[in-house]
Amino acid sequence: MIDQGTDGLSRGNLIEGVMEGKPMLSFVPLAISCFEPSPSLLQTWLRSWFHSNPVFLDEHEWFTTGHGITGGTKNSDGVWIPTTLTTGHFVWSPPPAAGRSAIDQLAISRHKRPTLTHVFLCPRLFTSIWRKRLYKIADCVINVPAGARSFWPSSKHEPLIIGLILPLSSVSPWQHRRSPPILELERQLRQVWHQPQCDERVVLRQFLKL
């Protein structure tokens, strides 16, 4: 609100933010993913706690690679048979305006390929269309405050929402969420962002081992 100019406008300041001529949408980037414009720091942080190299999906891959499909061939009857993965780590990073579409495809992928691991990242914007559904399918949802770490600076203004989706269990209740180990890791992750000396990657690696 301060950078956007509303706070200063209430005190008669007409040379900040939008009043200075900056476009309003530059403060509400609904069409920009968390990796734009400089993805290197965030991608490096993600790779640092994954056990294997994750696949970063673009919007076209939500419908193919995100479903564990890596290609395919035609059988003797001329029917195309897809080649699928049994394991893999996928990172979904839609712009806030496309968050619901990405989560819908992620939910389908989870039912089709229950052995895959997914991470969903999106700035806390336009949450009315996608956040409720994320909480239904994710095993753990964490909020990274803006400025808490170098990969998500205070210039981002809004927190980064991260949904962690583990492979489904082979026994009831199938999902890991709300289990004692998950609840304990969630508690640790809520605290770690306010302690600069702590390393959240240790906790995240433990999460992926569940």
Side-chain angles (χ1 to χ4, degrees), residues 116-157:
L116 302 180
T117 301
H118 304 275
V119 176
F120 179 92
L121 303 98
C122 191
R124 196 185 66 181
L125 293 168
F126 222 39
T127 54
S128 61
I129 67 169
W130 57 265
R131 184 166 56 179
K132 182 178 180 180
R133 185 153 172 78
L134 175 64
Y135 272 93
K136 288 183 177 180
I137 67 173
D139 292 296
C140 176
V141 178
I142 57 179
N143 290 264
V144 182
R149 294 293 186 272
S150 59
F151 63 82
W152 196 250
S154 56
S155 60
K156 296 290 187 179
H157 304 300

Side-chain angles (χ1 to χ4, degrees), residues 92-110:
W92 303 65
S93 55
R100 180 56 188 261
S101 297
I103 289 180
D104 286 346
Q105 292 304 313
L106 196 160
I108 294 171
S109 173
R110 197 181 194 198

